Amino acid sequence: MSYELDQISEELTDAVSEAFENMFFADIENCQDLESIETEKDSYLISVDTLLPFSGNVGLVIEKEYSEEIVMDMTGGDVEEINKEMIDDAMAEIGNTIVGRFLSRIVPEDEEFSLGFPECLEWDSNPEYSIKSENTRLFSLEMEETCVYCILSKN
């Protein structure tokens, strides 16, 4: 099966939308293709490599403040109890869940898919990730109070 970026991009944004709606009751109000990601806010990059059926990467850029809110909702704690390790673990698990949903949407049932280990990193607007190219597609998923950016790249 062919996995062309333009064909699978919609499946990624659908998987992210579904996950945020089901996990955090956050409705995606608008989804747009982007030429570049330009955010001034402190954010995390959740990065998950896709190993099979294609070699690539899925990235999610989430504002740190929103990440803390997510972790508070998940743990029932308050902001003073949340530390970097808790955020890293929660964001990595969210990335893993979303990319698993995405791949299960595009891979036929009789084929396998494989993921790398998710990572939660500081977002630094690296041009490799933040500019649309032949091998990279970018999206903004706007919610009521925040925006999540998606990066889909294929090696």
Side-chain angles (χ1 to χ4, degrees), residues 22-103:
N22 291 338
M23 296 169 77
F24 313 115
F25 307 105
D27 291 329
I28 304 297
E29 297 174 353
N30 190 19
C31 176
Q32 294 183 336
D33 291 343
L34 300 175
E35 294 297 317
S36 64
I37 296 175
E38 297 175 16
T39 179
E40 300 290 321
K41 298 187 178 180
D42 287 338
S43 300
Y44 292 114
L45 169 66
I46 298 99
S47 176
V48 183
D49 289 332
T50 57
L51 307 174
L52 287 174
F54 61 88
S55 176
N57 182 275
V58 175
L60 301 169
V61 179
I62 301 176
E63 294 173 7
K64 288 183 179 182
E65 188 175 308
Y66 188 58
S67 299
E68 291 172 354
E69 289 176 29
I70 289 171
V71 174
M72 285 188 309
D73 289 346
M74 291 172 75
T75 63
D78 57 38
V79 74
E80 290 83 27
E81 297 173 2
I82 302 212
N83 60 44
K84 176 77 167 99
E85 183 179 356
M86 292 170 73
I87 292 171
D88 287 351
D89 290 346
M91 294 299 106
E93 187 56 38
I94 289 165
N96 198 46
T97 300
I98 288 171
V99 177
R101 285 182 186 208
F102 161 60
L103 290 176

Side-chain angles (χ1 to χ4, degrees), residues 108-146:
E109 287 184 27
D110 61 337
E111 292 183 29
E112 293 183 13
F113 63 83
S114 180
L115 309 175
F117 291 105
E119 293 182 279
C120 181
L121 312 162
E122 298 280 329
W123 172 249
D124 67 0
S125 299
N126 182 330
E128 177 184 349
Y129 300 116
S130 61
I131 298 174
K132 181 178 179 178
S133 71
E134 180 181 332
N135 296 319
T136 302
R137 297 297 180 270
L138 308 171
F139 309 93
S140 67
L141 300 169
E142 298 171 10
M143 293 174 262
E144 187 175 315
E145 296 181 17
T146 192

